């Protein structure tokens, strides 16, 4: 087993040496993950978990072609990105080929946070303006410049909103100011941006940029209404600002319908700057900003050289190229569309059964389940959502909850997620919600359908993985020594009978809020 320390020792060392604000998933009972493959993760006991939340391992955990591309380039050369090298231009050429032709100039960085920070610099240099419009509940990164434009973060702190930051309502048609029954929610939400611009101008301020995730993730899996981006772009451009589309969490074909999430809004919408990260390296730290020639030339005119030691280094670009190859070769965009549609269909059938489910929303393999205690009032079921993710963990399914009220279950798995995985996840969720609703006195409605699992008393084994014959099985011998380095034999153990997750313990208690 690939462990240096026991779980208890790892927790103790983390408490001693890692900053206390660095939180882990399932803090009340953390999962210690020691290895992974495709859409599965394995703990120190060899138990397999279905990963429904990891948009970092975009094409699958430890994809052998990504690993091999990194190994080959690392053996040959890795160096400062200021040396002339083919990989960076080959990668840039491949990236811009997926984008509208106006977006043709790349700046490579190491993280989505770096990319968004650079995007703000580009925008402010372009016209010499300073102010930024962001969306409520938005998150764009952990740098100081990004915390300032991330209400998801700065609303939690003691600092007030900066004078140069303006917050527009999130275009949420389920829980927001303008809902699905509004005759023109896109226009109404865009008018909120227009009003912000007019007020800023009246106070002598100038707008540099409007920055938004193409679909809000931390904000609760929010899908903007059709036409919203076009209308906002008109207002922003008229004010002399630029439109920044943050694709860090939702790019690279996750939506299935298109390569980039912003493209769902139609060919008549093209952002001025696109940022990307996370998934583009499949776990390797690589990110990018892509913009127009005009904005790039304005940035050059500042006289300040842009230099990033590791951004665009040969290994990072080799990894990025491998990820692009895999997306195409394995038709992961088509898989996101097919499996995502199927999963949404299954979840909508669960909505007819479980009154705790208020809304199902999403596109491709980016889906949110909005839990409520009252459907008419749309009261957020925050404690219940926390209860659900812990109970799903017991069933070996990894989910998370987010949104302004932390009541939205987030589904954004590796792109190799299958229809079998979708069925397994929904069956476990059905069981958890059934027990929870009974315990709090909510009636569960029967659903008669051949395509959706009904209430089950016995947990079935998760679908067989697609790791290949040389990859580890579901379980490993618990007797393997801890406090030792991984051995080759522990990586290649095979041939044992696959086992499903342990049956869930009785969950008939009131949910408690956990973090």
């Amino acid at each position: 087993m690939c462990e240096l320390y026991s779980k208890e020792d790892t927790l103790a060392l983390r408490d001693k040496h890692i900053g206390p604000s660095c939180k882990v998933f399932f803090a009340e009972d953390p999962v210690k993950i020691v290895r992974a493959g495709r859409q599965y993760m394995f703990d120190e006991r060899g138990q397999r978990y279905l990963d429904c939340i990891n948009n970092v391992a975009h094409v699958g955990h430890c994809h052998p072609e990504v690993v091999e591309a990194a190994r080959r380039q690392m053996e040959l050369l890795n160096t400062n990105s200021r040396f002339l090298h083919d990989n960076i231009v080959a990668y840039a050429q491949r990236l811009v080929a997926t984008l509208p032709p106006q977006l043709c100039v790349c700046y490579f960085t190491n993280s989505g946070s770096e990319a968004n920070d650079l995007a703000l610099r580009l925008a402010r240099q372009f016209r010499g303006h300073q102010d930024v419009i962001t969306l409520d509940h938005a998150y764009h990164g952990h740098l100081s410049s990004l915390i300032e434009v991330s209400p998801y973060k700065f609303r939690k702190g003691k600092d007030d909103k900066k004078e140069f930051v303006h917050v527009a309502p999130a275009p949420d048609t389920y829980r927001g100011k303008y809902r699905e029954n509004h005759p023109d929610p896109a226009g109404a939400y865009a008018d909120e941006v227009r009003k912000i611009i007019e007020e800023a101008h009246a106070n002598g301020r100038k707008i540099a940029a409007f920055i938004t995730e193409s679909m809000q993730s931390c904000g609760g899996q929010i899908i903007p209404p059709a036409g919203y981006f076009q209308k906002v772009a008109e207002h922003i451009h008229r004010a002399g600002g630029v439109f920044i589309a943050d694709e860090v969490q939702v790019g690279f074909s996750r939506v299935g319908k298109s390569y980039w999430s912003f493209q769902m809004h139609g060919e008549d919408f093209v952002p001025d700057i696109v940022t990307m990260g996370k998934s583009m390296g499949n776990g390797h730290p690589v990110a990018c900003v892509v913009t127009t020639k005009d904005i790039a030339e304005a940035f050059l005119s500042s006289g300040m050289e842009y230099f990033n030691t590791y951004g665009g280094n040969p290994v990072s670009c080799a990894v990025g190229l491998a990820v692009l190859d895999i997306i195409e070769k394995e038709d992961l965009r088509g898989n996101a569309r097919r499996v995502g549609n199927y999963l949404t269909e299954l979840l909508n059938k669960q909505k007819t059964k479980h009154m705790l489910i208020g809304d199902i929303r999403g596109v491709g393999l980016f889906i949110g389940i909005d839990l409520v205690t009252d459907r008419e009032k749309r009261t957020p079921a925050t404690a219940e959502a926390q209860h659900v993710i812990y109970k799903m963990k017991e069933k070996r399914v990894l989910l998370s909850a987010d949104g302004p009220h932390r009541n939205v279950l987030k589904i954004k798995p590796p792109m190799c997620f299958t229809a079998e995985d979708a069925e397994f996840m929904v069956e476990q969720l059905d069981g958890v919600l059934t027990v929870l609703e009974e315990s709090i006195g909510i009636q569960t409605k029967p659903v008669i359908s051949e395509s959706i699992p009904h209430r089950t008393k016995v947990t079935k084994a998760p679908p067989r993985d697609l790791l290949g014959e040389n990859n580890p099985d579901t379980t490993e011998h618990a007797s393997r020594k801890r406090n030792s380095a991984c051995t080759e034999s522990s990586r290649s153990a095979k041939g044992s009978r696959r086992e499903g997750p342990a049956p869930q313990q009785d969950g008939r208690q009131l949910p408690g809020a956990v973090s």
Side-chain angles (χ1 to χ4, degrees):
M1 182 60 64
C2 305
E3 280 191 284
L4 293 176
Y5 311 103
S6 68
K7 181 176 179 178
E8 294 75 17
D9 288 346
T10 301
L11 283 168
L13 287 167
R14 185 178 180 92
D15 288 343
K16 183 177 181 181
H17 297 301
I18 305 300
S21 58
C22 300
K23 303 298 184 181
V24 295
F25 284 128
F26 312 107
E28 293 295 317
D29 181 25
V31 182
K32 183 178 183 182
I33 298 298
V34 298
R35 61 188 177 89
R38 294 182 68 82
Q39 64 270 49
Y40 301 108
M41 305 181 81
F42 298 82
D43 67 15
E44 79 282 6
R45 295 174 292 175
Q47 294 184 115
R48 181 174 68 179
Y49 294 82
L50 178 62
D51 182 2
C52 298
I53 55 177
N54 211 313
N55 61 345
V56 176
H58 191 63
V59 299
H61 290 280
C62 304
H63 196 293
E65 293 182 28
V66 175
V67 174
E68 178 60 17
R71 184 196 63 80
R72 282 198 312 266
Q73 185 59 52
M74 184 67 80
E75 287 183 345
L76 185 64
L77 171 72
N78 198 29
T79 187
N80 191 306
S81 58
R82 295 182 77 174
F83 286 100
L84 188 64
H85 195 271
D86 288 343
N87 283 8
I88 190 171
V89 293
Y91 190 26
Q93 187 176 39
R94 288 281 301 278
L95 281 176
V96 300
T98 68
L99 292 160
Q102 303 96 307
L103 296 166
C104 58
V105 181
C106 298
Y107 296 87
F108 287 100
T109 67
N110 304 292
S111 70
S113 291
E114 277 193 7
N116 281 329
D117 175 77
L118 179 57
L120 292 178
R121 289 176 59 194
L122 289 166
R124 284 169 168 153
Q125 177 63 30
F126 184 50
R127 301 286 190 198
H129 299 176
Q130 176 70 14
D131 288 25
V132 176
I133 300 176
T134 185
L135 292 179
D136 205 3
H137 313 304
Y139 175 65
H140 295 289
H142 63 82
L143 301 182
S144 297
S145 63
L146 302 172
I147 296 296
E148 292 172 347
V149 298
S150 297
Y152 178 80
K153 290 292 186 182
F154 74 64
R155 293 250 195 252
K156 297 177 181 179
K158 296 180 180 179
D159 294 338
D160 294 329
K161 178 178 67 65
K162 303 297 183 183
E163 186 180 10
F164 56 82
V165 175
H166 312 275
V167 180
D172 179 358
T173 57
Y174 177 71
R175 195 181 294 285
K177 186 175 182 178
Y178 308 108
R179 299 187 175 183
E180 71 277 0
N181 58 355
H182 191 281
D184 181 20
Y189 278 116
D191 277 345
E192 295 288 334
V193 176
R194 177 183 55 79
K195 293 172 186 175
I196 287 172
I197 294 171
E198 290 173 352
E199 184 178 350
H201 286 177
N203 292 324
R205 308 198 67 87
K206 295 182 178 179
I207 304 299
F210 173 84
I211 184 170
T212 178
E213 298 163 88
S214 296
M215 299 188 296
Q216 277 192 295
S217 181
C218 294
Q221 309 295 87
I222 304 302
I223 316 300
Y228 172 70
F229 279 2
Q230 284 92 332
K231 295 176 188 294
V232 169
E234 289 177 10
H235 299 320
I236 293 298
H237 290 155
R238 195 175 298 120
V242 301
F243 193 113
I244 302 172
D246 179 344
E247 293 267 340
V248 170
Q249 296 208 53
V250 295
F252 291 90
S253 297
R254 178 160 293 279
V255 295
K257 294 181 178 180
S258 54
Y259 208 91
W260 303 101
S261 296
F262 74 80
Q263 291 173 321
M264 293 190 301
H265 293 265
E267 294 183 0
D268 61 333
F269 170 70
V270 179
D272 304 290
I273 302 173
V274 174
T275 61
M276 52 192 77
K278 273 191 198 302
S279 53
M280 67 190 297
N282 210 57
H284 185 90
V286 55
C288 189
V289 180
V290 186
T291 190
T292 66
K293 286 185 177 179
D294 287 346
I295 293 175
E297 289 295 328
F299 192 53
L300 175 66
S301 70
S302 70
M304 183 183 296
E305 177 187 2
Y306 173 71
F307 167 53
N308 190 315
T309 302
Y310 296 111
N313 71 77
V315 172
S316 293
C317 291
V319 166
L321 284 164
V323 169
L324 296 181
D325 288 341
I326 294 163
I327 291 172
E328 182 177 345
K329 183 167 61 176
E330 297 184 5
D331 188 26
L332 294 184
R333 177 176 157 190
N335 187 67
R337 183 176 62 254
R338 292 185 296 271
V339 176
N341 288 344
Y342 181 54
L343 177 54
T344 300
E345 177 188 343
L346 296 181
L347 290 171
N348 276 317
K349 290 177 179 177
Q350 288 293 296
K351 181 183 173 183
T352 66
K353 178 179 181 181
H354 296 290
M355 297 303 292
L356 276 171
I357 298 178
D359 190 37
I360 303 294
R361 54 182 177 264
V363 185
L365 288 174
F366 181 87
I367 299 170
I369 306 172
D370 198 312
L371 298 185
V372 298
T373 55
D374 186 311
R375 279 191 179 179
E376 289 188 9
K377 297 179 180 178
R378 304 186 181 186
T379 310
T382 300
E384 290 79 1
Q386 301 307 304
H387 176 88
V388 167
I389 63 173
Y390 273 84
K391 286 300 179 183
M392 289 294 281
K393 178 175 73 75
E394 290 179 13
K395 289 175 172 281
R396 312 291 182 256
V397 177
L398 301 180
L399 287 173
S400 64
D402 220 322
H405 309 284
R406 295 194 68 196
N407 69 304
V408 180
L409 305 181
K410 298 168 65 173
I411 303 172
K412 45 186 180 64
M415 295 279 283
C416 52
F417 205 73
T418 68
E420 267 193 311
D421 297 324
E423 291 168 356
F424 177 70
M425 190 219 81
V426 172
E427 181 175 1
Q428 308 318 306
L429 182 63
D430 179 28
V432 169
L433 290 177
T434 297
V435 173
L436 176 57
E437 287 177 339
E438 287 180 353
S439 72
I440 60 179
I442 295 178
Q443 184 178 359
T444 299
K445 298 179 180 179
V447 174
I448 305 300
S449 171
E450 295 181 357
S451 60
I452 187 71
H454 309 305
R455 178 180 175 185
T456 54
K457 297 182 182 299
V458 179
T459 303
K460 76 172 185 179
R464 294 175 65 86
D465 62 21
L466 301 174
L467 299 181
E469 64 176 8
N470 291 323
N471 287 281
D473 285 317
T474 307
T475 59
E476 291 188 280
H477 297 296
S479 60
R480 292 192 188 277
K481 291 184 178 179
R482 293 180 175 177
N483 305 315
S484 62
C486 300
T487 63
E488 188 61 34
S489 59
S490 72
R491 292 193 197 96
S492 59
K494 58 183 180 178
S496 60
R497 180 175 178 269
R498 298 183 186 276
E499 299 177 9
Q504 182 189 0
Q505 297 176 354
D506 184 11
R508 295 175 181 269
Q509 69 260 22
L510 287 174
V514 291
S515 60

